Amino acid sequence: MLVGGQVLGGVGMGATLSLGSLLAAQLSGSPAWAGTAATMSTLGAALAAIPLSRLALARGRRVSLSTGALIACLGAATAISSAALGIFPLLLLGLMLLGSGSAVNLQARFAATDLATTGTRARDLSVVVWSTTVGAVLGPNLFGPGEAVGAALGLPPMTGAFAFSVAGQLAAAAVYLTGLRPDPLLQSLRAGARTEAPEPPQTGRQILRQNNRARYAVAVVALSHATMVALMSMTPIHLREHGASLTIVGFTISLHIAGMYALSPVFGWFADRVGRLPVVLAGQATLLASLLIAGLYSDSQAGVTVSLILLGLGWSASVVAGSAMVAESVAGQDRPALQGISDLSMNAAGALGGALAGPVLTAAGYSGLGFLAMVLVAIVLAWTGLRARADRTATPAVR
């Protein structure tokens, strides 16, 4: 059910974010505002993360995921209305609400771990991450069909794909509401209450202050995401400045997205077999290789393409293993709060990484951006070394 909801919810999301940039430029009257589409969507995902996690704790994943999907549906409908009315601020509101779909995407991977065992937790999580591949592949191919559907429905130009998002999010909400029975989180909490002494749930900030393992896991996910977004977001601009065609740019980004999602079950399997920390280290080593290639071969289209593929693979390994650690670093009643602040941190770090990447690209070029982003990888590698030493002395149940 989670995979089905992810596939349905992802339909149209990739296309609508791209079209959102075009609509932002059109409605605002300036291409300088095109970047606000991704910014507002990321902001919406960050703002929705903690409320949805609290709703999950109170009412279960079924209600939380379906509510998030319905908010995203409203966002897509609002974006269509903004184009019809020619109101730019309304478009920004719609894109922010649409970001709730990304928050649902992130929460769904944790929902897969609610009833998972220690030996299968990373693999179960990674399968839900992998299902995002379907939407990522379909999204860029919905421009043409979306315009045809939009014209038939009498919608404004460049809004047809938003109609697909409306339908997809409605269908996803229906799948979550009807399919997640019994609710995995509520069932997990009931099982925990029978075997553990009940304690009041902590807030995400309390957990991060007191739990070193949780703090490390959240940092791995957030810093890995910031590294990926910083380089990826500037790659199309860099390639276009060096004469690459739109076809080459699209092909490079497609290969990057494939690296992000297609092999996530493999990384999940390895994380269950050999431990979380070795997979985090492998992911960071891959990110480091990606940044090194970007720094040394920035003038080569082939070099940039290889760098982007490795960037996706490194992100996938780090986020799958890090997310599994987030899910298992606290007791059941505290998981939704920690997962919410993890998703908030991930989106905030990505937004900050993307925002800072532009000035760095202008000042130091693509090579400089690649080398400077290594600082984030170095932080994770150093922290992982400390975490591995702590785990050896504490002999934890889960590596």
Side-chain angles (χ1 to χ4, degrees):
M1 288 300 125
L2 288 171
V3 170
Q6 287 288 87
V7 172
L8 290 169
V11 171
M13 285 292 289
T16 52
L17 291 179
S18 300
L19 287 173
S21 299
L22 298 175
L23 276 177
Q26 175 182 296
L27 294 181
S28 67
S30 170
W33 289 93
T36 57
T39 301
M40 295 305 294
S41 177
T42 302
L43 177 62
L47 291 175
I50 290 180
L52 288 180
S53 69
R54 289 176 176 171
L55 184 60
L57 182 60
R59 303 288 301 279
R61 299 288 190 191
R62 188 172 65 90
V63 173
S64 176
L65 295 177
S66 58
T67 298
L70 290 175
I71 293 173
C73 174
L74 176 61
T78 302
I80 295 173
S81 300
S82 73
L85 299 173
I87 302 176
F88 177 56
L90 189 62
L91 173 65
L92 298 183
L93 175 62
L95 292 172
M96 186 174 69
L97 293 173
L98 194 58
S100 177
S102 298
V104 169
N105 177 293
L106 293 174
Q107 190 179 116
R109 79 191 196 280
F110 287 125
T113 69
D114 288 334
L115 296 175
T117 63
T118 299
T120 65
R121 183 172 286 120
R123 183 178 59 192
D124 292 347
L125 180 151
S126 68
V127 170
V128 176
V129 174
W130 171 86
S131 66
T132 309
T133 309
V134 179
V137 171
L138 283 178
N141 298 304
L142 292 177
F143 290 114
E147 286 303 283
V149 170
L153 296 175
L155 300 179
M158 293 191 295
T159 62
F162 286 96
F164 285 147
S165 283
V166 170
Q169 295 294 342
L170 281 175
V175 168
Y176 293 137
L177 277 173
T178 60
L180 290 181
R181 294 177 182 273
D183 188 281
L185 178 58
L186 297 182
Q187 193 172 11
S188 173
L189 292 175
R190 283 193 292 267
R194 289 194 296 266
T195 59
E196 304 170 3
E199 296 182 5
Q202 296 178 295
T203 66
R205 283 179 292 183
Q206 287 175 326
I207 295 169
L208 292 184
R209 284 197 300 266
Q210 300 170 10
N211 189 319
N212 292 330
R213 187 175 180 84
R215 189 160 56 243
Y216 164 77
V218 170
V220 167
V221 174
L223 292 176
S224 300
H225 192 59
T227 302
M228 185 277 293
V229 171
L231 190 66
M232 181 273 292
S233 62
M234 293 298 107
T235 299
I237 298 172
H238 172 72
L239 288 175
R240 289 293 287 166
E241 288 178 346
H242 285 71
S245 66
L246 288 176
T247 301
I248 293 296
V249 173
F251 181 65
T252 301
I253 298 301
S254 295
L255 290 176
H256 167 69
I257 293 173
M260 288 176 65
Y261 298 117
L263 295 184
S264 54
V266 176
F267 295 126
W269 182 81
F270 274 114
D272 286 332
R273 290 295 298 271
V274 304
R276 317 309 190 212
L277 292 183
V279 175
V280 169
L281 284 173
Q284 296 303 304
T286 306
L287 287 176
L288 192 63
S290 165
L291 298 173
L292 184 62
I293 292 172
L296 296 177
Y297 301 100
S298 62
D299 293 332
S300 166
Q301 290 184 5
V304 172
T305 300
V306 171
S307 172
L308 263 287
I309 294 172
L310 292 176
L311 188 72
L313 291 171
W315 177 92
S316 183
S318 300
V319 168
V320 166
S323 296
M325 291 183 68
V326 169
E328 65 198 9
S329 59
V330 292
Q333 74 273 10
D334 290 329
R335 284 175 187 163
L338 180 61
Q339 291 160 4
I341 203 164
S342 175
D343 290 345
L344 172 61
S345 301
M346 182 181 183
N347 281 297
L352 183 61
L356 295 178
V360 171
L361 181 71
T362 301
Y366 194 74
S367 294
L369 177 62
F371 289 133
L372 189 59
M374 290 181 183
V375 173
L376 301 179
V377 177
I379 292 172
V380 176
L381 287 174
W383 201 341
T384 302
L386 295 174
R387 186 71 250 160
R389 182 183 303 174
D391 281 3
R392 282 195 299 270
T393 58
T395 316
V398 179
R399 288 177 292 175

